[in-house]
Amino acid sequence: MSLERTAVVERKTNETDIKVQLELGTLTTTEQTIEINTGIGFLDHMYHALAKHGKWSLHLSCTGDLHIDDHHTAEDTAIALGMAFKQALG
């Protein structure tokens, strides 16, 4: 059984194109890095805070239909992050 708790998830829908790289427990193995770009400032801030205080390394990028609404970006990034957790935790 691998002790490495990492994941890479790519999720593409009609409204969004998302890539998530997640590494859990990084402060004991490597330097924590966080890069978030969803196009929604407050959402970026919240994901950054979760990663920082959860001691994860998180790289999350999303391009989406923000010219219409931010709903798809918020929903689909949360789904992709959940998929990354499922993958990282087995």
Side-chain angles (χ1 to χ4, degrees):
M1 181 172 156
S2 173
L3 296 178
E4 192 171 300
R5 299 184 308 164
T6 63
V8 175
V9 171
E10 294 186 27
R11 176 178 166 84
K12 188 170 186 144
T13 68
N14 290 333
E15 297 84 19
T16 60
D17 189 358
I18 300 165
K19 182 167 185 181
V20 178
Q21 294 175 291
L22 175 66
E23 183 178 348
L24 301 176
T26 55
L27 292 185
T28 59
T29 58
T30 61
E31 183 178 328
Q32 182 183 33
T33 59
I34 303 170
E35 293 179 24
I36 312 293
N37 184 15
T38 66
I40 304 170
F42 183 71
L43 187 59
D44 291 354
H45 167 74
M46 295 306 293
Y47 282 139
H48 190 280
L50 279 170
K52 180 176 179 164
H53 296 291
K55 299 180 176 144
W56 327 321
S57 281
L58 178 63
H59 297 252
L60 188 152
S61 62
C62 177
T63 54
D65 62 353
L66 293 176
H67 61 285
I68 295 173
D69 192 353
D70 59 8
H71 167 256
H72 294 122
T73 296
E75 178 180 25
D76 291 348
T77 56
I79 291 169
L81 185 57
M83 292 167 64
F85 271 100
K86 182 177 180 181
Q87 182 180 332
L89 295 171

